[in-house]
Amino acid sequence: MRRTWLRIVIAPFLIVALTACSPSAEDQTGEGIKAAKEIFQDEATKPNEQVESVNLFVPGGFSIQEDSDETNIVLTKNNDAYVLFINPNEEQNSRLFYDLVQAEKKNNIYALETYEQNSRFGFIAVLPSGEEQFEIITSIGGVKLTTISEEANIQKNIEQMMKIVRSVKIER
């Protein structure tokens, strides 16, 4: 009886303590943005998949959906979808997707960071999307990747998404 009572009293405290120790959305976003900058500035990860004329790196655990084509590639990991939009008419220094985010969602942006290097322009945008969920957008030039992320996965998603976007090569 005493052990059961002890478990009932201690369990809620452990749950609260573990929840309080998990990084906040703000912390995860900040760390993800720092990591994305490094990924943006480093050499691109070597592509390991091809969809028509598009070569890209797909991290472990991700899969490409069969109905993907060279302008819209749908990746999934567990039950999460990641949609890769590719506009082959835009150069790597294009600000098209950035301007669209600014025009359509500027009043709803949680975090926004831009990167420029070697005639490349990229950005990360994080927007609230329901309770404890965020829309994440990573982009370089005419390549944009979006997903809806649980708060607990913001940092990891930003890093993986920038790695994917940075790796995209279009055969012309």
Side-chain angles (χ1 to χ4, degrees):
M1 178 71 177
R2 285 186 181 195
R3 284 188 177 190
T4 304
W5 174 251
L6 191 59
R7 287 181 187 159
I8 291 171
V9 171
I10 291 178
F13 289 111
L14 287 175
I15 291 170
V16 169
L18 290 173
T19 303
C21 294
S22 63
S24 68
E26 185 176 333
D27 291 342
Q28 285 205 45
T29 301
E31 290 301 314
I33 286 172
K34 283 184 208 171
K37 180 179 181 179
E38 290 178 22
I39 293 165
F40 179 85
Q41 293 174 341
D42 286 346
E43 292 294 320
T45 303
K46 183 178 177 183
N48 60 0
E49 294 287 343
Q50 184 170 357
V51 176
E52 297 180 22
S53 64
V54 177
N55 293 301
L56 70 152
F57 172 74
V58 178
F62 283 77
S63 61
I64 298 173
Q65 295 303 294
E66 288 183 24
D67 58 346
S68 296
D69 61 42
E70 65 187 356
T71 58
N72 293 295
I73 299 172
V74 179
L75 304 166
T76 56
K77 181 177 182 183
N78 301 325
N79 292 326
D80 297 328
Y82 300 76
V83 182
L84 183 65
F85 301 99
I86 300 169
N87 183 337
N89 299 319
E90 296 295 322
E91 299 296 325
Q92 285 198 329
N93 64 352
S94 171
R95 294 174 175 260
L96 173 70
F97 291 130
Y98 176 77
D99 292 341
L100 289 171
V101 167
Q102 289 284 66
E104 294 173 3
K105 302 180 181 192
K106 72 178 181 182
N107 295 328
N108 198 29
I109 296 174
Y110 180 75
L112 179 66
E113 189 72 28
T114 60
Y115 311 103
E116 292 185 69
Q117 179 189 40
N118 301 331
S119 299
R120 280 192 326 264
F121 175 80
F123 75 93
I124 302 284
V126 179
L127 303 104
S129 180
E131 197 169 312
E132 296 184 18
Q133 290 188 326
F134 292 83
E135 177 182 5
I136 299 174
I137 302 169
T138 60
S139 178
I140 298 176
V143 178
K144 176 178 83 165
L145 183 59
T146 64
T147 193
I148 302 297
S149 175
E150 297 295 326
E151 183 176 324
N153 300 325
I154 293 172
Q155 179 180 348
K156 186 170 186 162
N157 277 328
I158 289 173
E159 291 175 25
Q160 289 180 323
M161 291 169 67
M162 182 55 86
K163 193 175 277 190
I164 293 167
V165 168
R166 179 75 174 93
S167 75
V168 172
K169 303 284 185 245
I170 302 168
E171 295 176 5
R172 297 179 190 237

